[in-house]
Amino acid sequence: MDDRLRSLAMDAFVQLGLPAYLTLELLIAHVERIRGRRIVIVETAKLTGKKICGLWIPRDDVDVVYHSVTRGPLHRQQMILHEISHMILRHDEVDGATWQGIKVFQQLSGEVVSKALARGDFRSDLEATAEHLADLLASALRTSSTEILSYEDYFE
């Protein structure tokens, strides 16, 4: 990842103005306020996690984040943070944002599909920047006074 992409992610992180007391739920509420729309998180077995483990679909009045089934809370959190990072970075407004088409969402209109951003190709600048921002957000959650600081606690 080049310095330009790291800088984009860091600038977006700083502009969020996150509080010191932070949980995933508070972060989601913060992003909802910024975007002026609610965020719905849906776990689905239809995403296998092999090629795509997370998917953000911006609808007219709601952002829907789908993620694959996982037993690990850290993995779940990272998938959600990655998709939320796409929202923060406003990747739904970027020319050339691509859909990594999968059959699970064939019922969606072409317009919705064309806006959808799927996790899958980390070689793209959009995906790399979103993943770096997700890492920054994960670090902020870990250092919050409310989050579990010991990784061993996540593997009980």
Side-chain angles (χ1 to χ4, degrees):
M1 170 186 257
D2 66 38
D3 289 341
R4 178 182 56 84
L5 299 178
R6 277 191 191 88
S7 180
L8 281 172
M10 180 56 78
D11 290 348
F13 178 80
V14 170
Q15 288 176 9
L16 283 172
L18 295 173
Y21 173 85
L22 189 65
T23 64
L24 181 58
E25 292 75 23
L26 288 173
L27 174 63
I28 290 169
H30 188 73
V31 175
E32 286 176 326
R33 279 190 300 279
I34 290 169
R35 288 181 58 81
R37 49 199 284 137
R38 62 192 179 99
I39 297 170
V40 175
I41 310 294
V42 179
E43 182 177 83
T44 177
K46 298 197 185 232
L47 292 177
T48 63
K50 292 179 182 169
K51 284 194 173 190
I52 298 173
C53 53
L55 176 72
W56 162 43
I57 299 183
R59 308 291 296 236
D60 289 337
D61 59 348
V62 64
D63 287 309
V64 183
V65 171
Y66 296 92
H67 69 82
S68 61
V69 176
T70 180
R71 291 182 7 205
L74 280 177
H75 188 211
R76 176 185 183 272
Q77 175 181 283
Q78 191 68 17
M79 289 185 286
I80 293 168
L81 291 176
H82 178 92
E83 302 309 327
I84 287 174
S85 292
H86 280 299
M87 293 175 208
I88 294 165
L89 293 162
R90 303 175 73 96
H91 284 168
D92 54 335
E93 299 172 10
V94 173
D95 288 335
T98 60
W99 167 255
Q100 312 276 338
I102 56 173
K103 293 179 182 179
V104 174
F105 298 103
Q106 285 179 338
Q107 75 273 16
L108 298 175
S109 73
E111 181 181 345
V112 170
V113 170
S114 71
K115 288 183 176 181
L117 296 166
R119 186 175 188 172
D121 183 5
F122 287 106
R123 295 170 296 200
S124 78
D125 287 355
L126 295 178
E127 292 300 322
T129 308
E131 191 61 17
H132 187 63
L133 179 53
D135 290 344
L136 293 171
L137 294 169
S139 178
L141 287 170
R142 279 192 309 275
T143 59
S144 173
S145 60
T146 63
E147 289 294 308
I148 297 171
L149 297 178
S150 172
Y151 286 109
E152 292 81 17
D153 292 340
Y154 281 102
F155 302 108
E156 295 184 329

